Amino acid sequence: METFYPITVTEADKKEYGAEISLVGKLYQTVYPQYMAPMKEYDRGYLEGVIAAQKKVYGGYFLPDFITDDLIERMNAVYQKQWNGEITVNHREIEFLLASEITRRERQEILTLLSNHFDVALYSGEQNVAIPKIRKKNYIDYYTQMPKVFKCSKVNLNISLKTIRTGIPLRVLDILASGGFVISNFQEELAEYFRLGEEIITYGDIEELYYLVNYYLQHEEERKEIADRGLQRVKEDFRFEERMKVILEDL
């Protein structure tokens, strides 16, 4: 909390970091295509089906249930033949690969959709971002620049990596502690610690996200009030001393 608050921005900062919508984070460029290329059509289709199903589910995570021992054995058998055993995979590695690929597709779809209608800035160190209308920005410093992005952007997005099953994403707290307005994918713990719709906004699918972004860009006062309440919640409940107190009480 103390890292970011209070945030002072100048007119030059507003010009540099201002946007209707901002996302600070990676697009998770993955090696999924290379790993899928030598596999049999059935297994490629199976994994595409798993990806498609998980991508539609917000607030639930079932990837590990579909990464079976048989699947891993078949994959490693193919890789043995293709790469002479130089590459092998295990359950956790494939889970992370699929989760990263899902997150990449999700962020790509969301940013493509929103940038076709709004001013969207992406802060990422990745190159070759194939989203024509997006404003591609470079890596920013966590302590000196990122809080200004959150403060100067009208809407800040949080799109969590799919492997983050529980907990409150640090990005959400960073945005709120900077006095920014955030729209995040739904996670159960957000509803436990924040008043949804009053201190933070969450979405359940891409269609709802588009509606919410459009609505709050048109309702500035309501957006600012929600950001102010979110900041107050973080100031009250998420200071280091407060979190340590809660941890010690639970011991």
Side-chain angles (χ1 to χ4, degrees), residues 94-161:
I94 293 303
E95 178 191 345
F96 186 78
L97 177 64
L98 295 182
S100 298
E101 178 65 14
I102 292 168
T103 306
R104 182 194 69 79
R105 295 185 189 187
E106 183 180 11
R107 292 188 176 189
Q108 185 91 14
E109 289 177 12
I110 286 173
L111 294 176
T112 299
L113 171 65
L114 295 180
S115 63
N116 280 330
H117 300 274
F118 309 106
D119 169 41
V120 181
L122 170 65
Y123 292 84
S124 173
E126 294 171 308
Q127 303 300 317
N128 303 318
V129 175
I131 305 176
K133 295 185 180 180
I134 204 165
R135 283 201 288 127
K136 174 65 173 63
K137 310 284 278 187
N138 293 324
Y139 169 84
I140 52 174
D141 181 77
Y142 182 84
Y143 295 101
T144 62
Q145 296 174 297
M146 189 176 72
K148 293 182 179 181
V149 171
F150 296 153
K151 183 71 173 178
C152 294
S153 301
K154 294 180 180 180
V155 173
N156 295 281
L157 298 178
N158 175 69
I159 308 170
S160 300
L161 178 64

Side-chain angles (χ1 to χ4, degrees), residues 32-77:
Y32 176 81
Q34 293 93 311
Y35 275 67
M36 293 302 107
M39 292 179 60
K40 293 182 179 180
E41 183 177 354
Y42 171 83
D43 286 328
R44 289 200 306 270
Y46 173 82
L47 289 174
E48 280 296 316
V50 172
I51 286 175
Q54 180 65 85
K55 194 158 72 71
K56 292 181 180 180
V57 177
Y58 289 78
Y61 184 73
F62 51 74
L63 279 183
D65 299 333
F66 290 88
I67 303 172
T68 64
D69 292 340
D70 288 343
L71 174 64
I72 296 297
E73 287 180 11
R74 292 197 300 273
M75 294 180 76
N76 281 325

